[in-house]
Amino acid sequence: MRIELAGRNPLRRRELRADFHGDTGNLVLDARGLRWVSPLELAAIVTMGTVAAARGREVHLLVPHDPKIASYLVRMNVVELLEPFTEIEGPVPTQVRRDHSDKLLEVAEVTPANIDDVSDRLGQLVTARLGPKAGRAAFGSLSELLDNATTHGYGKTGAFTAAQLYTGTLSRTPGFEFAVCDSGDGIRKVLSSTTNQDLEGPVALELALNGGNRLPEGGGHGLPSLWRQAVRGGKGGELMLRSGDAVATVKLRLEPTSICSRVAEPVDGTWAWLRVRVP
């Protein structure tokens, strides 16, 4: 299978661009046309490659033609994490790594054992740059998503996270972006088990976003608190969830709006991407 990673933020599109659906012998992550990459692409690329390799598939990464994007994949640990089991095709830039811990978190595996350390680092990062009020709100959202990935969503191949602060100079939207991708059971399976129903993918995402208010004993992923936290001290934001054969996009405002729909190309586990905007 070939996953096309082209343009700006390709994994935030509703549908993944995938070819050769029936080919289970290999996975080609074609990043040659990447023009802009967010924490979602970074964490998801590593997750997809790790899952495929664990299933005995050959994994190939086609390096971006844009040298700046290729260098960023190196800087953010994508190449380092994939290299042990991936054929890297294309020139890989060499670089002297500078300390940018005040503005980014390179792709890292997050586990039940290190979640507190990862959370602390993220908390310090967002509070220092967004201020105490917005920082505390953002930290609450990040902790919620990390907790889901290391409990409901934790599988044999683990979960990966990444984060980036944006000044707005290039993106024109200052704020904070975060992603965590796991390869666990996925939201549909977890909530279907909780409700003893065979839920459709979009229905399961809707229930998760509503905090399981219609579920017995208040079960669910506890995601509604993200809405309140993301608008507290900032200018709102956006949340995207992709799990199994469904995707949800949420505009995080005082009155949030969400769209949940089925997609053609499913993913393993759950991918979550969060953007918190600041004034």
Side-chain angles (χ1 to χ4, degrees):
M1 176 185 288
R2 182 179 73 94
I3 302 291
E4 182 183 2
L5 303 160
R8 297 174 64 88
N9 302 318
L11 297 185
R12 279 165 49 193
R13 302 186 189 116
R14 180 177 174 275
E15 290 285 357
L16 300 182
R17 294 182 178 176
D19 298 325
F20 317 119
H21 296 260
D23 185 356
T24 59
N26 62 31
L27 174 68
V28 178
L29 299 166
D30 187 351
R32 292 174 295 181
L34 263 182
R35 304 301 300 172
W36 184 273
V37 60
S38 77
L40 176 60
E41 282 77 30
L42 298 171
I45 287 172
V46 174
T47 301
M48 286 189 287
T50 302
V51 170
R55 293 176 177 171
R57 300 170 69 179
E58 295 181 6
V59 181
H60 301 260
L61 173 66
L62 308 188
V63 175
H65 290 317
D66 186 330
K68 292 182 179 179
I69 303 299
S71 181
Y72 190 62
L73 294 190
V74 175
R75 177 65 183 83
M76 294 298 284
N77 288 351
V78 172
V79 173
E80 177 183 335
L81 289 168
L82 290 178
E83 210 162 21
F85 52 79
T86 300
E87 183 71 28
I88 309 294
E89 301 180 22
V92 177
T94 57
Q95 57 183 226
V96 177
R97 180 170 296 191
R98 299 177 181 178
D99 180 14
H100 290 308
S101 57
D102 62 331
K103 64 182 67 173
L104 56 81
L105 172 69
E106 298 93 343
V107 180
E109 184 175 7
V110 57
T111 69
N114 74 356
I115 185 173
D116 289 340
D117 292 337
V118 174
S119 296
D120 287 345
R121 182 175 171 188
L122 285 168
Q124 293 172 11
L125 190 155
V126 297
T127 302
R129 293 297 297 271
L130 304 184
K133 187 175 181 180
R136 283 194 298 270
F139 175 67
S141 299
L142 307 182
S143 297
E144 192 88 57
L145 294 171
L146 285 174
D147 181 67
N148 288 337
T150 54
T151 53
H152 307 294
Y154 200 66
K156 293 181 179 179
T157 51
F160 294 90
T161 187
Q164 172 81 62
L165 282 167
Y166 296 98
T167 62
T169 303
L170 297 176
S171 66
R172 296 190 289 272
T173 52
F176 178 79
E177 282 192 30
F178 164 87
V180 59
C181 300
D182 67 61
S183 57
D185 289 335
I187 292 174
R188 176 182 178 181
K189 184 173 182 179
V190 170
L191 294 188
S192 291
S193 174
T194 302
T195 60
N196 294 314
Q197 301 176 53
D198 185 15
L199 298 173
E200 299 268 334
V203 173
L205 289 189
E206 183 181 358
L207 287 174
L209 290 168
N210 284 308
N213 292 332
R214 289 173 282 172
L215 302 182
E217 301 178 0
H221 279 50
L223 294 175
S225 58
L226 292 174
W227 298 355
R228 296 186 295 273
Q229 291 160 353
V231 300
R232 192 179 303 151
K235 296 177 67 176
E238 187 174 354
L239 170 69
M240 178 178 179
L241 290 177
R242 187 183 294 274
S243 185
D245 64 350
V247 63
T249 56
V250 186
K251 299 294 184 182
L252 301 173
R253 306 181 179 116
L254 290 176
E255 294 295 333
T257 58
S258 62
I259 299 174
C260 302
S261 56
R262 187 185 298 278
V263 291
E265 187 59 46
V267 301
D268 295 285
T270 301
W271 300 355
W273 167 81
L274 174 69
R275 181 171 186 109
V276 178
R277 296 185 178 87
V278 296

